[in-house]
Amino acid sequence: VQLQASGGGLAQTGGSLRLSCAASGSGIKVLDMGWYRQSTGKERELVATITNNGRTKYSDSVKGRFAISRDNANNTVYLQMDSLKSEDTADYYCTAQILPCFDPPNCDYWGRGTLVTVSS
């Protein structure tokens, strides 16, 4: 099983970026998906999550600016980031609950981080 993230890069303050992350593997079933981020010197924090039924959850710091969505047919999750701020600068990690679990009851897989840098 692999989670492959893409779409990070450099953006101006007030600009936009779109992240994507695709889960791949033979015979997998993808449940909840989401994004976390970690900036230098800080703990990894939740950005947004989405269930396989489309129910979403956001951290207060991104609510109204970021939108999470998914394509179930392609096991892909997206994060549309608008009105970017300098404090959004971080490594962004996608995560997914995927069956079968590799280490039951832990079913969480993580992708490599993709760096988002917001500059003024």
Side-chain angles (χ1 to χ4, degrees):
V1 176
Q2 188 175 18
L3 285 176
Q4 184 67 47
S6 61
L10 178 64
Q12 300 280 341
T13 301
S16 299
L17 283 174
R18 189 186 194 214
L19 306 181
S20 64
C21 178
S24 60
S26 178
I28 62 171
K29 179 176 175 60
V30 183
L31 305 178
D32 293 357
M33 304 185 83
W35 293 92
Y36 283 69
R37 68 185 181 187
Q38 186 170 20
S39 53
T40 303
K42 294 187 177 181
E43 297 286 324
R44 189 173 295 189
E45 63 173 356
L46 169 73
V47 177
T49 60
I50 184 167
T51 68
N52 55 356
N53 292 323
R55 195 162 59 245
T56 59
K57 176 182 175 181
Y58 297 92
S59 69
D60 288 343
S61 62
V62 306
K63 203 172 293 182
R65 300 188 297 119
F66 290 10
I68 189 170
S69 60
R70 64 189 286 169
D71 175 356
N72 287 337
N74 292 298
N75 292 328
T76 301
V77 63
Y78 304 96
L79 186 69
Q80 178 66 42
M81 303 184 294
D82 298 322
S83 302
L84 284 163
K85 304 176 180 180
S86 58
E87 52 262 44
D88 295 320
T89 295
D91 283 306
Y92 284 71
Y93 297 87
C94 66
T95 183
Q97 291 179 324
I98 299 175
L99 301 178
C101 301
F102 74 96
D103 184 23
N106 181 3
C107 305
D108 294 336
Y109 289 80
W110 291 83
R112 290 186 178 182
T114 184
L115 179 62
V116 170
T117 303
V118 183
S119 68
S120 55

